[in-house]
Amino acid sequence: MIANWQRHVRSSLRARDTTTALLLFAVSFPGSLYVATGSPDPAAPWWTAALLSGVSCTTLLFHRDHPRTALALTTAAAVTSAAQGRLLTVLSLGPLMVALYSFALRTEHNALRRSYVFGVAALLMTTEVIAGPADRPLDLETVGPAAWVLMPTALGSAVRLRSACLDAVRARAEHAERTREEEARRRVAEERLRIARELHDVTAQHLALANAQAGTLAHLLRGQPDQVHKILADLATTTSAALRELKATVGLLRHEDTKDTKDTEDTEESEESGESEGASSPTAPGLARLAGLTASFRSAGLDVTVSTEGEPQQLTPAADLTAFRIVQEALTNVTKHAAAKTARVRLAYSHDRLTLTVADDGGALRSAPPTPQVPGGFGLVGMRERAQSVGGRLRAGPGPGGGFEVRAELPLGEAALATRETTLAIRSRPGAKPPSAARPSST
């Protein structure tokens, strides 16, 4: 029976409040009959003390929903008891102390809480001084009631502040968890986009060249068979290079798939140091391999010239890879989509940026059969995304002298690092949208 009642009290707030009210009545009624030694007994009969204690304790049954009403009624009962000449002790003020604790716990406005508490304390002390016996010690009439009023108020305020602090900590933890999940989703989306771009850049050029070389080979077999062996050698070189780069890229992706969580921290450190997608790969190409890239297009019938303006400067690994991939993609587009026989690559260095221009002459259609057109490509989108990933920008459109021109501006040195830090700061903002999922990146 007792065990069932205990379980019911722990599970029900109403049962808990009822038990508290009964226990407080058991101590507050006898305590309200106490008078100071040497003081005359109060004129009011004992049943008035029982009535006032019963009202105060009954009020506590709804102190959770109406803390101000409970505080007002318990204060009125305590003031009435003091007006009858009874001494306010910790026992008789038990219901009022519980009401004060509940009021302080559920009131967030500090000014309102202080005004109520100090008003109750002043009201009790004034009533005790006026209505109490003249020979009663002053400390019993002033210090005692004030202490019993302030103590539960301070305790309720401390519990409320602690609960608010725990709620704030819990909210921050939940926000941090959501932020980590969003960051993980963002990184997954960025990685998917990077994989799509890398696979496209590795395969598109070689496949386009192989396709062009195969078309040229079929054309030469009919009229110039003596040049077939050279085209076959170039075709074998193109396909071998495609296989090597594809194998290296797939091997890198497999290695990244098996990495543990420690590598995530390494990735963040590499981003902070200015490195980005593909820069950490030992096989990542750069402008140092530009001569070999342009030579590979000559066997497909495209004559590429490279010019440099200004003093060449060292690029960051990310910017170096981006510059190479933009040139590679632009020349591949010329081979696949343009009726051009020549293309120009211009590298213009200034104190803070590299201006990269790839333009074709827009000439007449070559004698070799044109390569098949693949609709709906994303080559220009991929180049623009690459330029933006290192803090640069890219424009593509008709050139001033005819043909088609791709112009990219990539930051150098401190400008590149500052732009990279700004990009990382924007990415890490809470609620920042992750990049779009990887799209088919065939040109």
Side-chain angles (χ1 to χ4, degrees):
M1 182 67 178
I2 297 178
N4 293 336
W5 173 253
Q6 291 177 346
R7 285 194 297 270
H8 180 64
V9 168
R10 285 193 295 265
S11 61
S12 174
L13 293 178
R14 178 63 64 182
R16 191 182 307 173
D17 292 339
T18 302
T19 303
T20 302
L22 292 176
L23 292 177
L24 284 174
F25 180 79
V27 297
S28 64
F29 170 57
S32 61
L33 299 177
Y34 177 79
V35 294
T37 304
S39 298
D41 293 337
W46 64 268
W47 58 267
T48 58
L51 178 62
L52 292 174
S53 297
V55 171
S56 297
C57 294
T58 304
T59 303
L60 297 179
L61 296 178
F62 51 87
H63 73 95
R64 299 180 187 274
D65 299 328
H66 307 282
R68 297 183 189 180
T69 303
L71 177 60
L73 292 178
T74 52
T75 301
V79 169
T80 303
S81 179
Q84 293 178 351
R86 294 188 174 88
L87 181 64
L88 299 179
T89 64
V90 63
L91 298 179
S92 61
L93 292 178
L96 176 60
M97 294 174 67
V98 173
L100 284 168
Y101 173 82
S102 178
F103 175 76
L105 183 64
R106 293 169 173 80
T107 303
E108 297 181 356
H109 300 286
N110 294 329
L112 180 63
R113 186 169 58 252
R114 285 194 297 266
S115 62
Y116 269 72
V117 170
F118 286 117
V120 170
L123 189 60
L124 292 179
M125 289 187 296
T126 302
T127 305
E128 276 278 19
V129 171
I130 295 176
D135 58 348
R136 183 176 294 173
L138 186 62
D139 56 342
L140 294 179
E141 296 177 341
T142 56
V143 178
W148 305 133
V149 167
L150 297 179
M151 187 181 302
T153 304
L155 181 60
S157 300
V159 173
R160 182 182 56 82
L161 292 177
R162 180 178 181 275
S163 177
C165 181
L166 291 178
D167 291 341
V169 171
R170 190 179 300 108
R172 284 197 298 268
E174 293 176 355
H175 175 72
E177 184 65 24
R178 288 195 303 270
T179 303
R180 282 194 295 269
E181 294 176 357
E182 293 174 358
E183 178 70 11
R185 287 194 294 268
R186 181 185 67 83
R187 288 184 178 275
V188 168
E190 289 183 346
E191 186 66 11
R192 291 177 58 193
L193 188 59
R194 183 183 76 85
I195 291 172
R197 284 200 296 257
E198 287 298 320
L199 290 177
H200 165 264
D201 292 337
V202 167
T203 59
Q205 178 220 353
H206 297 294
L207 292 179
L209 287 178
N211 191 24
Q213 290 165 351
T216 304
L217 180 61
H219 177 74
L220 293 177
L221 282 174
R222 294 191 295 269
Q224 302 177 14
D226 55 328
Q227 298 185 15
V228 170
H229 294 288
K230 182 180 182 302
I231 299 298
L232 284 176
D234 292 338
L235 180 59
T237 301
T238 300
T239 54
S240 297
L243 289 175
R244 284 196 306 270
E245 291 199 26
L246 184 59
K247 180 179 179 181
T249 303
V250 173
L252 177 64
L253 296 178
R254 283 189 175 184
H255 174 68
E256 289 182 351
D257 287 341
T258 57
K259 289 191 298 184
D260 56 12
T261 55
K262 180 180 181 298
D263 290 335
T264 303
E265 300 175 358
D266 297 337
T267 302
E268 294 175 351
E269 294 176 359
S270 65
E271 287 184 348
E272 294 175 358
S273 63
E275 299 178 1
S276 68
E277 48 193 52
S280 60
S281 172
T283 61
L287 292 180
R289 292 170 53 178
L290 190 58
L293 175 67
T294 57
S296 65
F297 282 93
R298 293 191 179 97
S299 61
L302 181 64
D303 186 19
V304 183
T305 59
V306 180
S307 61
T308 303
E309 299 178 5
E311 184 67 23
Q313 301 183 34
Q314 182 69 30
L315 282 74
T316 62
D320 197 18
L321 173 64
T322 297
F324 179 86
R325 293 303 192 194
I326 289 176
V327 174
Q328 182 186 55
E329 177 64 25
L331 293 178
T332 302
N333 287 346
V334 173
T335 304
K336 296 183 63 178
H337 303 299
K341 298 179 65 175
T342 62
R344 302 179 304 278
V345 178
R346 184 172 68 92
L347 306 176
Y349 291 91
S350 63
H351 69 284
D352 63 344
R353 65 183 53 249
L354 166 65
T355 302
L356 177 65
T357 306
V358 181
D360 61 74
D361 60 0
L365 186 65
R366 298 187 297 271
S367 58
T371 57
Q373 301 296 313
V374 181
F378 289 91
L380 293 179
V381 175
M383 287 190 289
R384 187 171 290 107
E385 289 175 345
R386 279 193 177 276
Q388 293 174 352
S389 69
V390 295
R393 55 186 179 180
L394 182 138
R395 183 189 66 83
F404 196 82
E405 181 182 85
V406 175
R407 180 186 178 91
E409 295 181 0
L410 307 178
L412 299 174
E414 295 181 358
L417 295 178
T419 307
R420 180 64 179 170
E421 291 177 358
T422 302
T423 304
L424 289 175
I426 293 175
R427 285 180 178 180
S428 61
R429 287 176 182 173
K433 294 183 179 179
S436 58
R439 299 179 292 263
S441 192
S442 57
T443 305

